[in-house]
Amino acid sequence: MAEGMAEVSGLADDRVLLGRTSTAERVSDILRSRIAEGYFPPGTRLSEDSIGGALGVSRNTLREAFRLLTHERLLVHQLNRGVFVRVLTVEDVEDIYRTRRLVECAVVRGLALDEPPFALDAVAGAVEDGVRAAAGKDWKGVSTANIHFHRELVALAGSARTDELMRSVFAELRLAFHIVADPRRLHEPYLERNQRILDTLREGHAAQAERLLAAYLEDSLANLVEVYRRRVGADG
């Protein structure tokens, strides 16, 4: 795993996002996004001086942001060593998918109580983004589009609390994706399955879409654990 500090000069561009009322929550939002993008890979030590200087925030503000992200399981504090981007275990990955099944399948199941057509524009947009990324052989983009697809499925519940919960879950999931050496193999097969779930929801068949989603998540977990265990074992 990476032991050195990742390049932080690009974080200075994020300083404008803080505005005049800099808060730990805003700093944590920036760092969460950067971690999800792979800017700070799993295992990277985060330097208070470098990141605080790049963002123009105080040490106390940055430490509070680190604390928030540690609570979200994205960072881990190691005594006498500092703060690191977390490296997930296989058990972590399995627990993430357990949470995904509980939430995502429940959201799709709940659509059966609504009258079609469902509000699927954002879901469809994520599917189209994935297809475009694959056409350009942008497999990181395909990964991002797949995450957005599932995020927009969750958003169909219309619950800010559920959205917030899953935002952290999906960010944590990205930590596992960044370990995988062959993102195309991991993500490309699910583009067609995303489309199938979308088409099924467009037809108003929520129960069938839930079955497709449950099978999707089961297969995705099996595939990810297979490659993740092999990669983490090789690095260990």
Side-chain angles (χ1 to χ4, degrees), residues 200-218:
T200 303
L201 288 173
R202 278 174 167 164
E203 293 166 1
H205 304 314
Q208 182 181 349
E210 183 195 353
R211 289 191 293 271
L212 291 173
L213 178 59
Y216 177 126
L217 292 175
E218 182 178 349

Side-chain angles (χ1 to χ4, degrees), residues 29 49 68 87 108:
D29 284 344
D49 290 340
L68 293 171
V87 179
V108 174

